[in-house]
Amino acid sequence: MKVTVKKLQGGECTIEALPTTSILDIKRQIFLHLKVPVEEQKLLLLGRTLADDQTVQGYPIKDGTKLNLVVKKPEGLYEVALKYFKKLGMTDTESVNAANRLLKISQEKFNKLSWDDIDRLCRDCLLDESGQSQPAPENEPENDDIYSL
């Protein structure tokens, strides 16, 4: 069956699905068509959020059904750090202080990088996101910690 996915901010695609196709698999197909990372996708059918671990047959989805795609804002370093520190058992105040220290230290370290280091870091991030890897040039160290972060 064909399912149309409409991105609320504009854009749409048509996905081929079977009744046994998982919602997570649909999200992976959406990534291939619309380039929205799976973890940032929220699929809605008639205002109801679809669960990743469910299959198409678990919902009233048939040929020609339209799903709405909401793109969730990715969490920033501060929010992720705050959650991490809270998981470690820190109080709210301790977590906020630790997250603020982490941001300050990260900014200080980043400010000390050369333009070449920043270029390599950006290139590595882009390659990592695309699932590609690039061997280090012969004159560069193969140390993973060259950015000293």
Side-chain angles (χ1 to χ4, degrees), residues 5-24:
V5 177
K6 184 168 175 64
K7 186 175 162 188
L8 295 182
Q9 294 86 357
E12 69 176 51
C13 66
T14 301
I15 303 294
E16 192 67 41
L18 298 170
T20 56
T21 302
S22 73
I23 301 304
L24 182 59

Side-chain angles (χ1 to χ4, degrees), residues 4 6 8 59 65 78 109 111 142:
T4 301
K6 184 168 175 64
L8 295 182
Y59 297 101
T65 296
Y78 178 80
K109 295 276 189 182
N111 288 340
E142 291 198 29

Side-chain angles (χ1 to χ4, degrees), residues 39-40 72-83:
E39 60 275 1
E40 294 177 19
K72 299 185 281 184
K73 180 183 172 199
E75 292 184 286
L77 178 59
Y78 178 80
E79 291 83 8
V80 171
L82 201 57
K83 283 183 184 178

Side-chain angles (χ1 to χ4, degrees), residues 54-111:
Q54 295 295 314
T55 60
V56 169
Q57 64 194 2
Y59 297 101
I61 296 173
K62 57 185 190 302
D63 192 44
T65 296
K66 289 190 180 186
L67 302 177
N68 290 313
L69 172 64
V70 177
V71 180
K72 299 185 281 184
K73 180 183 172 199
E75 292 184 286
L77 178 59
Y78 178 80
E79 291 83 8
V80 171
L82 201 57
K83 283 183 184 178
Y84 176 76
F85 293 131
K86 284 182 181 181
K87 268 190 201 176
L88 291 178
M90 291 183 175
T91 65
D92 286 347
T93 303
E94 291 170 334
S95 297
V96 166
N97 290 339
N100 284 327
R101 279 194 313 275
L102 175 66
L103 287 179
K104 183 180 178 192
I105 291 168
S106 298
Q107 185 64 50
E108 289 170 357
K109 295 276 189 182
F110 190 82
N111 288 340

